[in-house]
Amino acid sequence: MKKNSKPLLLGAAAAAMIVLAGCASKPDNYYTLASTVPAAEAAPSTIGTAAPIYIELAPVAVPERLARPQMVVGRSNGSVQVDVLEQHRWAASFESELQDALASGIAARLGALDVTKGGRQTSQPVWRIAVQVRQFDAVDGGRVDAGFSWTLRRTDETRTMVCQLNVGEGVAGGIDAVAQGAQRITAAAAAAIARSVSAARANPAATACPL
C-alpha cells in the first residue's frame, strides 16, 4: 500500500515558513521614562535626621488613549491621526512607568523616602502627591509637549497646594529620540514637583504653587 507523503511535506513546509517568519519579525523595543538625577540636583538623604521627608505618589491619571504600554505617537504636518506602536513600548503601562519615574525623581531631589508602596510608620507625616497628566503629545521628528497638574498635602495638615506645569521641547527624528524627549519632560516634571514640596515645607501658610 502506497503512503501519501504530500500532506506531510505541506505540513513541514508550513512549519518552516512560520519559523522563518518568526525569525524575520522585528523584536519589540522597550523604553523607560526613569532617568538618573544629576548630582547637582540630588539632595542628601533626610532619613535618620530630625526632619525626615516621606513622599507618597498616588496612581497617575492619564488620558485614556495613553493608558497602554505601546507608545502613542502623532503624525507630522498637523495630522489628527496617531500611531499606536506595537513594536515600541514603555517598560510598563504608560501610567505605571510615569508614576515610578516621577516618584524616584522627586525622592532623589528631596532626599526623601518614597513610601508609595509602604515602608513608613503610621505616626510619621508624609507628603501625598496626586498627579494628573492633561497632555502628553509626541510627534516623531517634531515635539514632545506635556501638561501636568498636581495637588500636594501633608498628612498632618489641612491645607492643599495646587500646582501645574506646561513643558515641551523639540525632538529629532526616530522613536529613540521621542522616548528620550519624553524622559526629559518627565524629569522636568519631577523637578517641578520636588520644588513645590520644598516651597511648602519652607512656608507652612502657602497654598499657591510658586512655580
Side-chain angles (χ1 to χ4, degrees):
M1 179 175 158
K2 185 178 179 180
K3 294 183 180 180
N4 187 355
S5 61
K6 188 174 182 180
L8 294 176
L9 291 174
L10 289 175
M17 289 179 66
I18 292 173
V19 171
L20 289 173
C23 293
S25 62
K26 188 177 180 180
D28 289 333
N29 297 282
Y30 293 94
Y31 302 88
T32 181
L33 288 170
S35 59
T36 302
V37 175
E41 297 181 29
S45 176
T46 62
I47 306 306
T49 68
I53 304 174
Y54 296 89
I55 65 165
E56 182 179 286
L57 189 64
V60 178
V62 304
E64 186 174 352
R65 70 180 183 280
L66 300 176
R68 62 183 74 231
Q70 298 93 333
M71 292 182 67
V72 179
V73 177
R75 298 183 181 182
S76 58
N77 302 321
S79 173
V80 296
Q81 292 183 300
V82 297
D83 294 314
V84 179
L85 306 181
E86 292 292 342
Q87 302 299 324
H88 299 274
R89 302 184 175 214
W90 300 112
S93 189
F94 178 72
E95 66 275 23
S96 297
E97 183 69 18
L98 187 58
Q99 182 184 17
D100 289 346
L102 288 174
S104 61
I106 296 165
R109 288 172 171 84
L110 293 173
L113 178 64
D114 173 21
V115 295
T116 298
K117 299 177 181 178
R120 75 174 179 94
Q121 297 180 352
T122 55
S123 60
Q124 183 65 51
V126 59
W127 290 96
R128 286 183 173 159
I129 307 163
V131 179
Q132 178 180 12
V133 177
R134 305 188 313 274
Q135 171 195 11
F136 207 107
D137 298 328
V139 176
D140 185 2
R143 294 181 56 81
V144 176
D145 291 293
F148 299 86
S149 299
W150 66 93
T151 58
L152 177 66
R153 185 177 69 84
R154 195 167 120 151
T155 52
D156 60 347
E157 297 179 355
T158 58
R159 66 166 174 162
T160 298
M161 182 176 285
V162 180
C163 307
Q164 66 177 14
L165 173 73
N166 295 309
V167 61
E169 65 171 70
V171 293
I175 300 304
D176 282 8
V178 171
Q180 290 164 2
Q183 189 180 76
R184 291 190 293 270
I185 294 294
T186 301
I193 296 171
R195 289 195 299 272
S196 71
V197 175
S198 295
R201 293 180 67 230
N203 183 3
T207 57
C209 193
L211 302 177

